[in-house]
Amino acid sequence: MAGGFVGGEAGRRADLYEGRITGYFILACIVGSLGGSLFGYDLGVSGGVTSMDDFLKEFFPRVYRRKQAHLHETDYCKYDNQVLTLFTSALYFAALVSTFGASPVTRKYGRRISIMCGSVSFFLGGAINAGAVNIFMLIVGRILLGIGIGFGNQAVPLYLSEIAPPKIRGAVNQLFQLTTCLGILVADIINYFTEKLHPWGWRLSLGLATVPATLMFVGGAFLPETPNSLVEQGKLDQARLILEKVRGTKQVDAEFEDLKEASQAARAVKHPFRNLLKPKNRPQLVIGALGIPAFQQLSGMNSILFYSPVIFQSLGMGSGASLYSSIITSSMLVIGALVSMSVVDRMGRRFLFIEAGIQMITSMVIVAIILALKFGHGVMLPKGLAVILVIAICSFVVAYGWSWGPLGWLVPSEIFPLETRSAGQSVVVCVNMFFTAAIAQCFLAMLCHMRWGVFILFAGLIVIMSLFVILLLPETKQVPIEEMSRLWEKHWFWKSIVAKDDARVLQSQQQLSK
């Protein structure tokens, strides 16, 4: 069995898992992964809208006047406005808070209900933003979008990881990242065309967020709940039927027994958030709930996604050219996601993290050097250097697209045991959204004051991220979720920490027996 485990009932059962890829399974994956399109569309659309003159004239006239004053020169500080960045970051602060409301819903009522709740909130937010007549309406709409993303990002990665067979779990989970990337690409293409529709094009861009929300809600009505969630709710007969239907076979005894044992352990835990702090869950807490989601944002990628049109305009490109360049970068993100889906279950998570880290560091250094030498002196970049700059950004984006982008959601969703899975995913989303919001709120000010140094800062953070993976993350490819705890028992660093909890449990049992 992949993962190299020996001994134990669960370890023997994993080799007995049976099943095939069924149409029912494919439908469940497609509908479930639509949650990523909500997240992606918003990531892409907000940056494009904030660079549109019609939007700026209506809501941020001071920024518009500053932009017009610098039409013939480059300027790091052209878009430095905290209310403008609040338009972007308010969504992520709302998602941060709402994920803790999503956790009990996901655990008690199932992943499917949580996904549908998120789609309703996202639909309302998109509709309000499209009809906004003042900044207050913009922020309210963004908050509702954020609540939708908090629910969707909490439930969708769990749903995909739980419904997938272990051997292809990595590729299936990465459907979330693929649809996120496709959502970004679609948003950039829409922004490119709506920018020409004066003066209401930006309303169409924001309002079209209701389309993926509608698709996800309608699809959710036909979506099967995961067997893991049904077992967790005590619906054993229904869970077995769904498992047989998804796997396409009646021979699911081994996998079903593992699910029931994991569920019994889960029901014994009355306070899942408190349980996350126990030594036996320390690896999941440090790696999955804190480290990976924080580093995913500290890579600097979302700064490029949020503000790529703004960045390219600041480099002297016109509004249309900057949006066109954003389409190129978001296309790189889709390519990266496809590459990751094809190799993640063969080459593993660690390889992709490490290789991409080297590529991302190199790209950031190249961007910083070009900007330090040639940018910010009141003249546009020479065409040759501008091309190199776009290539370096594309290299960074495609590397992120096959590493920290998809794996930042995959690895946390697969390493938590069932008893802390929904709580753990809430912390993952909370940390992710906190750093997403912080970067969104601070990046333009950082660009203004640190200038090219902000890219050196991100390069240094990627060095730390890569060392974190090399030292602390074991390989998780093709390891059944129910057996993931055995990885920590064999890891050079984590085994001593996990052993402390095992020793404490054994001592308690011995005292009770006396």
Side-chain angles (χ1 to χ4, degrees):
M1 184 202 71
F5 299 140
V6 292
E9 189 65 26
R12 290 194 295 272
R13 285 199 199 111
D15 289 327
L16 303 176
Y17 288 8
E18 295 187 25
R20 58 185 175 82
I21 305 300
T22 64
Y24 194 64
F25 166 72
I26 293 172
L27 175 64
C29 289
I30 292 174
V31 175
S33 62
L34 279 173
S37 67
L38 302 184
F39 190 32
Y41 187 84
D42 185 80
L43 281 172
V45 81
S46 57
V49 164
T50 53
S51 71
M52 293 183 186
D53 288 348
D54 292 325
F55 177 81
L56 293 175
K57 280 190 286 188
E58 184 155 353
F59 296 105
F60 302 97
R62 184 178 300 177
V63 176
Y64 174 74
R65 288 193 295 271
R66 186 190 305 163
K67 176 183 174 182
Q68 295 305 305
H70 292 278
L71 277 177
H72 302 294
E73 61 177 291
T74 52
D75 184 2
Y76 282 104
C77 301
K78 192 181 295 186
Y79 290 90
D80 181 22
N81 181 285
Q82 289 300 296
V83 180
L84 177 62
T85 52
L86 182 62
F87 167 74
T88 297
S89 60
L91 179 145
Y92 303 100
F93 285 120
L96 184 158
V97 175
S98 69
T99 186
F100 289 102
S103 177
V105 174
T106 302
R107 186 175 188 186
K108 186 174 181 180
Y109 299 105
R111 286 51 166 155
R112 187 176 70 96
I113 296 298
S114 192
I115 290 172
M116 294 178 71
C117 289
S119 65
V120 171
S121 182
F122 201 90
F123 180 94
L124 294 174
I128 291 174
N129 270 176
V133 295
N134 52 49
I135 291 177
F136 176 77
M137 286 184 70
L138 280 181
I139 300 302
V140 169
R142 296 290 288 176
I143 289 172
L144 286 170
L145 289 170
I147 293 172
I149 284 179
F151 272 79
N153 286 15
Q154 210 273 347
V156 170
L158 290 184
Y159 184 91
L160 294 173
S161 286
E162 290 178 350
I163 207 160
K167 289 184 178 180
I168 60 169
R169 186 180 62 244
V172 170
N173 186 276
Q174 289 192 15
L175 285 172
F176 178 77
Q177 178 67 11
L178 177 62
T179 53
T180 299
C181 298
L182 289 171
I184 295 168
L185 177 58
V186 168
D188 284 337
I189 293 172
I190 288 173
N191 283 337
Y192 180 74
F193 289 103
T194 58
E195 193 266 340
K196 309 178 194 311
L197 302 175
H198 305 292
W200 51 270
W202 63 270
R203 294 188 184 276
L204 181 59
S205 288
L206 295 177
L208 285 174
T210 58
V211 175
T214 301
L215 290 174
M216 195 167 77
F217 181 84
V218 173
F222 301 96
L223 200 67
E225 186 54 84
T226 67
N228 308 60
S229 180
L230 290 170
V231 170
E232 192 176 14
Q233 296 172 54
K235 302 175 181 178
L236 299 182
D237 292 339
Q238 189 178 348
R240 181 168 182 115
L241 287 174
I242 294 294
L243 186 60
E244 291 175 354
K245 198 169 184 179
V246 171
R247 297 289 182 256
T249 178
K250 298 280 187 181
Q251 308 303 317
V252 295
D253 291 344
E255 187 171 1
F256 192 60
E257 287 302 314
D258 276 354
L259 291 180
K260 288 196 296 183
E261 287 187 6
S263 178
Q264 289 172 0
R267 281 196 293 270
V269 177
K270 302 301 181 184
H271 305 286
F273 283 100
R274 191 184 305 168
N275 199 55
L276 279 172
L277 301 176
K278 290 185 177 180
K280 70 174 183 178
N281 292 320
R282 193 66 47 78
Q284 296 94 317
L285 177 65
V286 173
I287 295 175
L290 301 177
I292 288 179
F295 285 137
Q296 187 189 47
Q297 306 311 315
L298 292 174
S299 66
M301 180 61 219
N302 274 357
S303 300
I304 293 174
L305 289 182
F306 294 149
Y307 302 116
S308 55
V310 170
I311 290 172
F312 287 124
Q313 274 197 13
S314 294
L315 298 181
M317 300 182 184
S319 179
S322 69
L323 291 172
Y324 181 73
S325 298
S326 298
I327 294 173
I328 295 175
T329 56
S330 56
S331 299
M332 293 298 102
L333 204 57
V334 173
I335 291 171
L338 291 171
V339 170
S340 188
M341 286 181 67
S342 65
V343 303
V344 68
D345 287 314
R346 289 187 288 110
M347 304 182 77
R349 286 62 161 152
R350 280 170 53 86
F351 172 82
L352 291 175
F353 271 132
I354 295 167
E355 184 283 330
I358 296 170
Q359 187 170 328
M360 291 163 70
I361 292 166
T362 304
S363 300
M364 278 295 189
V365 170
I366 291 173
V367 170
I369 290 173
I370 292 176
L371 295 183
L373 294 177
K374 294 292 183 179
F375 184 68
H377 304 297
V379 294
M380 288 191 295
L381 285 172
K383 185 176 180 181
L385 284 180
V387 170
I388 294 174
L389 195 65
V390 172
I391 291 173
I393 290 176
C394 287
S395 174
F396 176 89
V397 170
V398 77
Y400 178 91
W402 64 54
S403 61
W404 284 92
L407 301 184
W409 294 105
L410 168 62
V411 173
S413 72
E414 67 184 359
I415 65 176
F416 286 102
L418 185 60
E419 62 265 25
T420 60
R421 196 167 299 160
S422 61
Q425 188 67 13
S426 287
V427 179
V428 171
V429 176
C430 175
V431 173
N432 188 290
M433 291 299 124
F434 174 80
F435 282 96
T436 303
I439 292 295
Q441 189 66 33
C442 298
F443 176 72
L444 290 181
M446 292 167 63
L447 184 64
C448 178
H449 296 287
M450 296 180 65
R451 304 165 72 85
W452 56 268
V454 71
F455 298 99
I456 292 294
L457 172 63
F458 285 133
L461 289 170
I462 297 168
V463 171
I464 297 172
M465 291 157 49
S466 300
L467 291 174
F468 177 85
V469 168
I470 292 170
L471 295 175
L472 298 181
L473 179 66
E475 183 53 65
T476 60
K477 68 175 181 179
Q478 299 184 9
V479 179
I481 291 179
E482 289 72 31
E483 297 181 33
M484 204 64 68
S485 61
R486 294 170 177 254
L487 284 177
W488 319 118
E489 297 170 5
K490 295 178 176 291
H491 191 269
W492 72 272
F493 178 78
W494 296 117
K495 62 183 180 182
S496 59
I497 296 174
V498 173
K500 291 179 183 178
D501 216 33
D502 293 337
R504 189 179 296 113
V505 171
L506 181 61
Q507 185 178 8
S508 299
Q509 291 174 343
Q510 290 174 344
Q511 290 175 348
L512 288 173
S513 63
K514 292 178 182 180

